Amino acid sequence: MTDLLPYVAGVPLVDHHCHGLVRTDLDRTGFEELMTEADTVSPLGTTLFDSLLGHAIRRWCAPVLDLPAHTTPDDYLARRAELGATEVNRRFLATTGTTDFLVDGGFRPELLTDANELGTLAGARAHDIVRLELLAENVLRAGTTAAGFAADCAEALAKHTTAVGCKSIAAYRVGLRLAGARPDDAEVHAAAGRWLSDVDRSGAVRLADPVLHRFLVWLAVEHRLPVQFHVGYGDADVNLAECDPLLLTDLLRATAPSGVPILLLHNYPFHRNAGYLAQVFPHVFVDVGLATHNAGFRGGALIAEALEVTPFGKFLFSSDAFALAEHYHLGTLLFRRGLSDFLRTAIEADTMTSTDAAHVTDLIGHANARRAYRLDS
Amino acid sequence: MTDLLPYVAGVPLVDHHCHGLVRTDLDRTGFEELMTEADTVSPLGTTLFDSLLGHAIRRWCAPVLDLPAHTTPDDYLARRAELGATEVNRRFLATTGTTDFLVDGGFRPELLTDANELGTLAGARAHDIVRLELLAENVLRAGTTAAGFAADCAEALAKHTTAVGCKSIAAYRVGLRLAGARPDDAEVHAAAGRWLSDVDRSGAVRLADPVLHRFLVWLAVEHRLPVQFHVGYGDADVNLAECDPLLLTDLLRATAPSGVPILLLHNYPFHRNAGYLAQVFPHVFVDVGLATHNAGFRGGALIAEALEVTPFGKFLFSSDAFALAEHYHLGTLLFRRGLSDFLRTAIEADTMTSTDAAHVTDLIGHANARRAYRLDS
Amino acid sequence: MTDLLPYVAGVPLVDHHCHGLVRTDLDRTGFEELMTEADTVSPLGTTLFDSLLGHAIRRWCAPVLDLPAHTTPDDYLARRAELGATEVNRRFLATTGTTDFLVDGGFRPELLTDANELGTLAGARAHDIVRLELLAENVLRAGTTAAGFAADCAEALAKHTTAVGCKSIAAYRVGLRLAGARPDDAEVHAAAGRWLSDVDRSGAVRLADPVLHRFLVWLAVEHRLPVQFHVGYGDADVNLAECDPLLLTDLLRATAPSGVPILLLHNYPFHRNAGYLAQVFPHVFVDVGLATHNAGFRGGALIAEALEVTPFGKFLFSSDAFALAEHYHLGTLLFRRGLSDFLRTAIEADTMTSTDAAHVTDLIGHANARRAYRLDS
């Protein structure tokens, strides 16, 4: 890895998928539990600092907290506690060069800063992404009926007047092996009825029904709101075998005529499959967020693989930062380094000019996201 | 990327899978629609020249049309129109160093040059590959019966006396999750009957029946004609989740004793899976055509991955060029560059001698294809 | 590839998955049949020395037999015969720097050295791994009943007092699409009854029943013996489409609370999927054995991919050497070279210090295996 290409170092970013930050200080276990997708530190393994991500934190985050590069985990966490969560969050956000954050506030909202607070901390614009399953669960909690569920969801969605997109976590609940067609009213009615009965019986409000996930996606499409999908890599709750983006093919084929963007998040280790979808479906966009910082210095290899067949007009930046401000710093830095390495290789192979590379940087860094989410409208 | 190894630069090629070329001039949209596997240019993306393939065209194709490297798309297309399709086709074909083209003429034949015309343009030998589904559809169009279908197909295939192989596009019609055993006469009879009824009812002649695709493959095997399969990457018509070559395992196991070569085309992004099949099944050959040029300077990375476990005696070159002569130029050039990079890395790591590398080049460049298709018999 | 980092060159290894060696001399066909996962040399291909593995043998094994690097296959095999199998085995084992071999003696035991003999030849410790399916088949051969099968298996397993772990080859028999929960006694009883009837009818003793494979895994877990799974790459007997480690997700989720290690072997070409499992499940460990030497100089690329998200505390070394002592030499050497290249790249990118790299080397080279298998207890 060499120096960043100047236009990559300087490009303003739109982070099209990210989350809030913890406001409280963390002990070592608490920190490690938020570092990777592992729920906790295994007694059978070693510290999670023994990973490419752990090394990246010690290398790239330590200096932001006035520590030498490669400091020890304990020294790092001591300094972090000394500065306090708010200062730490502010410092890391200040490094990102991000002008717009598209914030998915639907996971553990009680723990994390919301979009407004994040934007204020960062001195940047923050936009809301509506978590579709949470919307439906809130509709249910507020009181609905099997017959009224669809209209109540539509009404709830219409209230999100400032939202720039929606997100589906069908991957976490039922997997991505979804049918394509919009479920008709009778199907939605029946599925909502089943869900209401289940909730009555179990007391647990957790949507996990292929018809209803699909209905919500179509609802967003009908509201002309871009739809993000969690795809691929996630925590142990996911059944990754059912999270290959190719399983969405029928739904992508069915939604293509709408012209509403579908944005496939993360995608690792299926990022090449995602790239194929981005090439052949006019409304599909992809990223390799989350993996970019988890894979440390290997992030560039992932970007290069993802861009083999993805048109440059269909690839986006996201950090998928969650809870730890380090994720914002690393998600952004390792993305810039990975993209820079990719472009430099292309330039050195004389298959791209510097002008081309700067244009590609603009597309991926912000222009594609601005266009897909109509951020300037 | 450095200079080509001389034996890679000079090796005569057998292009074991390719298509005809358009004879007419193209405007920018028409050109872009034939560039990648995208059907058209998306208003949500940017030009398809914003891609590794687009950059490769500007870098490597422009000079063949007397333009500077990295020229703009519009200048490129203006010059292309000025020269005219025939001259453009001739120029690009002249760069390939290909002695034998194995031409799949079954897709959009009304639009494209046939094998003879291509061979004449290139000053090279052209061989026919019989598209199995088209053969069956022509049998039906000519008039057949459920009981007579199998024999009529056999008779039709026997008429292709100069064909060197067949091709199955089961991947596009029903996916590759095919059973292994040859369907017996009663099964073929019944399946043909269903198909004839469907055609009667719908008026559309389009074969998509797992039993019949499988029957046609076995028919080719019984005629001792090598069988190509479309595998992996293709346009939006394909359901890529059902195009993993591993889904062919039962059929490969069943056909292995025949000793008739099965050739898995493209394979991206499943090229490592294909390599495994080429190692363990004696009659399986693989390539990474199509992706090689779509991925631009990343073609070499794909070749390196594919060759991890594929024996060098089982890997083939193909361009999968289709419609645009640029595909011939780039499919060939980027293959040579990728193979050269792979071999150079091996030589520099001192795990291969130059003599070894030249031998591997001969195998992959032409000798494997000559042996598999018995081109010298 | 440059010189090995000194701590990688010198690290003592625990080879957590390997097999015995042939004791007899081999002709060229006999040698090639044991080289790769191909059963035999195909008349449609060329010699299997035409492969990355073949080149690695000529490059790295020839000098151990006093021949020049890159010698011809025939000269290599002539010298091999001259020295005799025992001397060849001793020489290659002496190069490995392995202190502990965990030997799976369950495949073709009549042909190969057992664990004791291997340890003696190598001057190292050898530990037994119990092949679960062979244990069950021996229980059946010794005489059991549907009702007594479970207890008989438990008793047989308890007799393996020195075994450090077990191995499941469910992948070879039924694939990895296994349910999670421990089958209850009635299910095991019924499945054993079906199997006993099948054996009575067919005369063939070959376990291939999802309930019984799963029962055996749980039996090992209940005995607190670490369980290895064959995953991914293998010979033509495997249906690789059903050997993706992600198919084990339910079983991994169910066994996680036990705290008994599950060790996913080989994994190629699904090694990234395996890395995800190692990150999110506390008891999952992974390796890229077998592929490391089959892929020759590309072994390092596989290690780098596998380590993208695998914590360094969860990655193991194995050679998966089988029958040919060359596999021990290459499995070890190419692992050291690949790991060294990976670490050197990280150091050169300044994301890892040399101290970090030495620590990672110790973890992967031996410490993780010692901890997972409690070799020091």
Side-chain angles (χ1 to χ4, degrees):
Chain A
M1 235 172 336
T2 49
D3 289 344
L4 288 180
L5 293 167
Y7 36 89
V8 179
V11 68
L13 296 173
V14 174
D15 189 342
H16 91 110
H17 174 63
C18 54
H19 302 268
L21 296 175
V22 284
R23 301 185 194 85
T24 55
D25 296 326
L26 297 162
D27 63 10
R28 177 144 177 184
T29 299
F31 186 88
E32 291 200 38
E33 288 180 343
L34 293 170
M35 257 177 82
T36 71
E37 294 301 304
D39 290 336
T40 189
V41 183
S42 168
L44 289 167
T46 59
T47 166
L48 290 169
F49 276 96
D50 284 332
S51 64
L52 286 180
L53 175 56
H55 288 200
I57 289 172
R58 290 169 47 217
R59 168 61 188 93
W60 299 107
C61 296
V64 179
L65 306 190
D66 314 316
L67 294 167
H70 307 297
T71 194
T72 66
D74 283 339
D75 285 353
Y76 181 81
L77 291 168
R79 174 63 179 162
R80 198 182 199 279
E82 187 179 69
L83 289 168
T86 303
E87 172 64 11
V88 166
N89 290 347
R90 194 179 350 247
R91 285 196 186 191
F92 284 123
L93 284 169
T95 67
T96 58
T98 299
T99 62
D100 295 78
F101 295 93
L102 277 60
V103 183
D104 169 12
F107 188 51
R108 304 179 71 181
E110 71 294 353
L111 181 75
L112 304 177
T113 57
D114 66 14
N116 280 338
E117 203 175 340
L118 189 83
T120 304
L121 266 172
R125 283 177 294 277
H127 309 269
D128 277 314
I129 297 290
V130 178
R131 181 86 75 123
L132 290 168
E133 287 77 10
L134 185 61
L135 178 136
E137 288 161 359
N138 285 338
V139 161
L140 183 141
R141 286 192 188 96
T144 187
T145 61
F149 176 76
D152 289 347
C153 285
E155 193 183 329
L157 186 56
K159 285 185 185 151
H160 287 274
T161 52
T162 62
V164 297
C166 296
K167 181 183 169 194
S168 168
I169 54 159
Y172 268 94
R173 302 292 176 83
V174 298
L176 297 178
R177 206 177 288 274
L178 298 173
R182 190 199 192 288
D184 64 27
D185 292 349
E187 285 175 277
V188 177
H189 185 142
R194 284 192 306 270
W195 186 33
L196 287 164
S197 302
D198 285 351
V199 173
D200 272 349
R201 205 167 36 240
S202 70
V205 179
R206 185 174 186 273
L207 177 61
D209 178 292
V211 171
L212 296 182
H213 290 288
R214 196 153 44 97
F215 158 69
L216 291 166
V217 169
W218 276 101
L219 186 68
V221 166
E222 285 156 9
H223 282 70
R224 308 210 61 76
L225 281 165
V227 183
Q228 304 175 338
F229 275 92
H230 175 97
V231 179
Y233 185 40
D235 66 33
D237 264 359
V238 94
N239 181 353
L240 191 57
E242 295 297 317
C243 294
D244 185 328
L246 297 179
L247 299 175
L248 286 172
T249 301
D250 287 343
L251 189 57
L252 298 177
R253 200 172 278 134
T255 53
S258 74
V260 175
I262 305 282
L263 308 107
L264 308 178
L265 307 176
H266 323 319
N267 294 300
Y268 183 87
F270 310 115
H271 42 290
R272 280 172 160 161
N273 301 8
Y276 156 78
L277 296 169
Q279 181 179 104
V280 303
F281 288 108
H283 63 324
V284 172
F285 293 75
V286 298
D287 73 39
V288 287
L290 183 54
T292 317
H293 63 263
N294 267 276
F297 79 94
R298 291 279 305 169
L302 307 185
I303 291 171
E305 289 176 2
L307 287 173
E308 282 160 1
V309 301
T310 307
F312 298 136
K314 301 293 220 58
F315 193 73
L316 301 176
F317 162 68
S318 85
S319 66
D320 195 20
F322 175 78
L324 299 185
E326 281 82 352
H327 292 157
Y328 275 108
H329 182 56
L330 291 177
T332 308
L333 178 74
L334 294 171
F335 167 78
R336 288 189 200 264
R337 296 190 76 87
L339 182 62
S340 179
D341 288 348
F342 170 77
L343 295 172
R344 188 187 299 277
T345 304
I347 294 168
E348 286 175 357
D350 190 25
T351 66
M352 213 183 269
T353 66
S354 287
T355 307
D356 294 332
H359 174 60
V360 171
T361 301
D362 284 340
L363 290 176
I364 296 176
H366 56 79
N368 292 337
R370 296 204 163 281
R371 185 174 64 252
Y373 293 98
R374 295 183 295 176
L375 295 185
D376 300 319
S377 70
Chain B
M1 231 171 341
T2 48
D3 290 344
L4 288 182
L5 293 167
Y7 36 88
V8 179
V11 67
L13 296 174
V14 174
D15 189 341
H16 91 110
H17 174 63
C18 56
H19 302 267
L21 297 174
V22 283
R23 301 186 195 84
T24 54
D25 295 328
L26 298 161
D27 64 11
R28 176 144 178 184
T29 299
F31 186 88
E32 292 200 37
E33 288 181 342
L34 293 170
M35 256 178 82
T36 71
E37 294 300 306
D39 289 337
T40 189
V41 183
S42 168
L44 289 166
T46 58
T47 166
L48 290 170
F49 276 96
D50 285 331
S51 63
L52 287 181
L53 174 56
H55 288 200
I57 290 172
R58 290 169 45 219
R59 168 62 188 92
W60 299 107
C61 295
V64 180
L65 307 190
D66 314 314
L67 294 167
H70 308 296
T71 194
T72 66
D74 283 339
D75 286 353
Y76 181 82
L77 291 167
R79 174 62 180 163
R80 198 182 198 282
E82 186 179 71
L83 288 169
T86 303
E87 172 64 10
V88 166
N89 290 347
R90 195 182 347 250
R91 285 196 187 192
F92 283 123
L93 284 169
T95 68
T96 59
T98 299
T99 62
D100 294 78
F101 296 93
L102 276 60
V103 184
D104 169 11
F107 188 52
R108 305 177 71 180
E110 71 293 353
L111 182 76
L112 305 177
T113 57
D114 65 15
N116 279 339
E117 203 174 339
L118 188 82
T120 304
L121 266 171
R125 282 177 295 276
H127 309 269
D128 277 314
I129 297 289
V130 178
R131 180 87 75 126
L132 290 168
E133 288 76 12
L134 185 61
L135 178 135
E137 288 162 359
N138 285 339
V139 161
L140 183 141
R141 285 191 190 96
T144 186
T145 61
F149 176 75
D152 288 347
C153 285
E155 193 184 330
L157 186 56
K159 284 184 186 151
H160 288 275
T161 51
T162 61
V164 297
C166 296
K167 181 183 170 195
S168 168
I169 55 159
Y172 267 93
R173 301 292 175 84
V174 296
L176 297 179
R177 208 178 287 273
L178 297 174
R182 190 197 193 289
D184 65 27
D185 292 350
E187 285 176 276
V188 176
H189 184 143
R194 285 193 303 271
W195 186 33
L196 287 164
S197 301
D198 285 351
V199 173
D200 271 350
R201 204 168 35 240
S202 71
V205 178
R206 186 174 184 271
L207 177 61
D209 178 292
V211 171
L212 296 182
H213 290 286
R214 196 153 44 96
F215 157 70
L216 290 166
V217 169
W218 277 101
L219 185 68
V221 166
E222 286 157 7
H223 282 71
R224 307 209 63 74
L225 281 165
V227 183
Q228 303 175 338
F229 275 91
H230 175 97
V231 179
Y233 185 41
D235 66 33
D237 264 358
V238 95
N239 181 352
L240 191 56
E242 296 296 317
C243 295
D244 185 326
L246 297 178
L247 299 175
L248 286 173
T249 301
D250 287 343
L251 188 58
L252 297 177
R253 200 171 277 136
T255 52
S258 75
V260 174
I262 304 283
L263 308 107
L264 308 178
L265 305 176
H266 323 320
N267 294 301
Y268 183 87
F270 310 115
H271 41 292
R272 281 171 160 162
N273 301 8
Y276 156 78
L277 297 170
Q279 181 179 104
V280 303
F281 288 109
H283 63 324
V284 171
F285 293 75
V286 299
D287 74 39
V288 287
L290 182 55
T292 316
H293 64 264
N294 268 275
F297 79 94
R298 291 279 305 169
L302 307 185
I303 291 171
E305 290 177 1
L307 288 174
E308 283 161 359
V309 301
T310 307
F312 299 135
K314 300 293 220 55
F315 193 73
L316 302 175
F317 162 69
S318 85
S319 67
D320 196 20
F322 176 79
L324 298 185
E326 282 82 354
H327 291 157
Y328 275 108
H329 182 56
L330 291 177
T332 307
L333 178 74
L334 293 171
F335 167 78
R336 288 188 199 264
R337 296 191 76 88
L339 182 61
S340 180
D341 288 349
F342 170 77
L343 295 173
R344 188 187 298 276
T345 304
I347 293 167
E348 286 175 356
D350 190 25
T351 67
M352 213 184 267
T353 66
S354 288
T355 307
D356 294 332
H359 174 59
V360 170
T361 302
D362 284 339
L363 289 177
I364 295 176
H366 55 79
N368 293 336
R370 296 206 163 277
R371 188 174 62 253
Y373 293 97
R374 295 183 296 175
L375 295 185
D376 300 318
S377 68
Chain C
M1 233 171 339
T2 48
D3 290 344
L4 288 181
L5 294 168
Y7 35 90
V8 180
V11 67
L13 295 173
V14 174
D15 188 341
H16 91 111
H17 174 63
C18 56
H19 301 268
L21 297 175
V22 284
R23 299 186 195 86
T24 54
D25 295 326
L26 298 161
D27 64 12
R28 178 146 178 183
T29 299
F31 186 88
E32 290 199 38
E33 288 181 343
L34 293 170
M35 257 178 80
T36 71
E37 295 299 306
D39 289 336
T40 190
V41 184
S42 169
L44 288 167
T46 58
T47 166
L48 290 170
F49 276 96
D50 284 332
S51 65
L52 286 181
L53 175 56
H55 288 199
I57 289 172
R58 290 169 46 218
R59 169 59 187 95
W60 298 107
C61 296
V64 179
L65 308 189
D66 314 315
L67 295 167
H70 308 296
T71 195
T72 66
D74 283 339
D75 286 353
Y76 181 82
L77 291 168
R79 174 63 180 162
R80 199 184 198 278
E82 186 179 71
L83 288 169
T86 303
E87 172 64 11
V88 166
N89 290 348
R90 195 182 344 252
R91 285 196 187 192
F92 283 123
L93 284 170
T95 68
T96 59
T98 299
T99 62
D100 295 79
F101 295 93
L102 276 60
V103 183
D104 169 12
F107 187 53
R108 303 179 73 180
E110 71 294 351
L111 181 76
L112 304 178
T113 57
D114 65 15
N116 278 337
E117 203 175 341
L118 189 81
T120 303
L121 266 172
R125 283 177 295 277
H127 308 269
D128 277 313
I129 297 289
V130 178
R131 181 86 76 120
L132 291 168
E133 288 77 11
L134 185 61
L135 179 137
E137 289 162 359
N138 284 339
V139 160
L140 184 140
R141 284 190 189 99
T144 188
T145 61
F149 176 75
D152 289 348
C153 286
E155 193 183 330
L157 187 56
K159 285 184 185 152
H160 287 275
T161 52
T162 60
V164 297
C166 296
K167 182 184 170 193
S168 168
I169 55 160
Y172 269 93
R173 300 293 175 83
V174 297
L176 297 178
R177 206 177 288 274
L178 298 174
R182 189 198 195 289
D184 64 26
D185 292 350
E187 285 175 276
V188 176
H189 185 142
R194 285 193 303 271
W195 187 32
L196 286 165
S197 302
D198 285 352
V199 172
D200 271 350
R201 205 166 36 241
S202 70
V205 179
R206 186 173 185 272
L207 177 62
D209 178 292
V211 172
L212 296 182
H213 290 288
R214 197 154 41 99
F215 158 69
L216 291 166
V217 169
W218 277 101
L219 185 68
V221 167
E222 286 156 7
H223 282 70
R224 306 209 63 76
L225 281 165
V227 183
Q228 303 174 339
F229 275 92
H230 176 97
V231 179
Y233 183 41
D235 65 34
D237 264 358
V238 95
N239 181 350
L240 192 56
E242 295 297 317
C243 294
D244 186 327
L246 297 177
L247 299 176
L248 286 173
T249 301
D250 288 342
L251 188 58
L252 298 178
R253 200 171 277 137
T255 52
S258 74
V260 174
I262 304 283
L263 307 108
L264 309 178
L265 306 175
H266 323 322
N267 294 300
Y268 183 87
F270 309 115
H271 42 291
R272 280 171 161 162
N273 301 10
Y276 156 78
L277 296 170
Q279 181 179 103
V280 304
F281 288 108
H283 63 324
V284 171
F285 293 74
V286 299
D287 74 39
V288 286
L290 182 55
T292 318
H293 63 263
N294 268 275
F297 80 95
R298 291 279 306 169
L302 307 185
I303 290 170
E305 290 177 2
L307 287 174
E308 281 160 0
V309 301
T310 307
F312 297 137
K314 300 294 219 58
F315 193 73
L316 301 175
F317 162 68
S318 84
S319 65
D320 195 21
F322 176 78
L324 299 185
E326 281 82 354
H327 292 156
Y328 274 107
H329 182 56
L330 291 177
T332 307
L333 177 75
L334 294 170
F335 167 77
R336 289 188 199 265
R337 294 189 78 88
L339 182 62
S340 180
D341 289 348
F342 170 77
L343 295 172
R344 188 187 299 278
T345 304
I347 293 167
E348 286 174 357
D350 190 24
T351 67
M352 213 183 269
T353 66
S354 287
T355 307
D356 294 332
H359 174 60
V360 171
T361 301
D362 283 340
L363 289 177
I364 295 176
H366 54 79
N368 293 336
R370 296 204 163 280
R371 187 174 61 253
Y373 293 99
R374 296 184 295 176
L375 295 185
D376 300 320
S377 67

